[in-house]
Amino acid sequence: MTDGTQGKWNRRQIMTAAAISCLATSTIACTSLSARPIISRPAMAKTFVLVHGAWHGGWCWRDVRSQLEAQGHRVFTPTLTGLAERAHLLSADIGLDAHITDITSLIDYYDLSNIVLVGHSYGGMVITGVADAMKNRIDEIFYLDAALPDHGETMITQGPERSPAAIEQTRTALEAFAPDGIGMAAFPPDFLGIPKGHPGYDWVARKLTPHPLKTWLDPIQLTNGGPQGMTRHYIHCTEPALPNSSFPYHAEQVQADPSWTYHALATGHDAMVTAPNELVAILTG
């Protein structure tokens, strides 16, 4: 050859050889040139969408997310509008539909399918609406000590039947927590089952933000049966059970229904903080 390249490889030849080498070394890694390592995912890797409850944000799943990702799963922990790092968006107009749309939009934007959908506490209202709208995208649904509404119910009417007077009393109490008519003040972590002295107590206390009142008063609209017909799980946090909640009622109901899988978790309401190891074992079991 007359161009001085005899015995040398040009850039295209080098890149081609590197690519062949990558293919020959399975899916563990190829670090030659500028290529990023390719990390293999386990054959049973899943896509999790974890939806927090009232006053919380995506931050509360920190320990659960890290464990799931360490196992090779894909994990999304969105924060609902008006809370945590999105608290600046808090307004009187934020209702239940806005929070349902937060999650359906995430699923659409990232083209997610075969999802394991998890909702904690008030998040049960949200995932019920998501399941109704996107049933074909979801493989399994987990209610973690969560609301389980029927069509037309609100956060304060779902659960055991109560008189109109009792429901109105609850509504009045909630409005007292939101004197501006916009955001309900957060309860302390010990009310949520995180005892004082727990390593996560101060962390949670710093992170909690007011929750949009309207989301608790809006009735859910279900046109496709919500989670009916799906693989459904209910996880009840029993030690201690959250006082004055509908969750023990839902736990009792699903135990009598063979279409559900029931799990009891011996920890307080914020299980993602107080028992992340045990919760991950249930979610991946």
Side-chain angles (χ1 to χ4, degrees), residues 7 9 14 22 31 43-44 50 78 90 99 166 170-171 174 176 194 200 213 231 250 264:
W9 285 11
I14 294 172
C22 286
T31 57
M44 298 302 292
L50 311 180
L90 180 64
H99 283 175
T170 300
R171 181 187 181 109
L174 290 179
I194 305 174
L213 172 64
T231 300
H250 294 314

Side-chain angles (χ1 to χ4, degrees), residues 41-46 73:
R41 298 177 69 198
M44 298 302 292
K46 300 177 180 180
H73 302 293

Side-chain angles (χ1 to χ4, degrees), residues 177-201:
F177 285 117
D180 60 359
I182 300 175
M184 297 182 291
F187 290 176
D190 43 313
F191 180 85
L192 302 172
I194 305 174
K196 291 181 179 179
H198 185 278
Y201 186 96

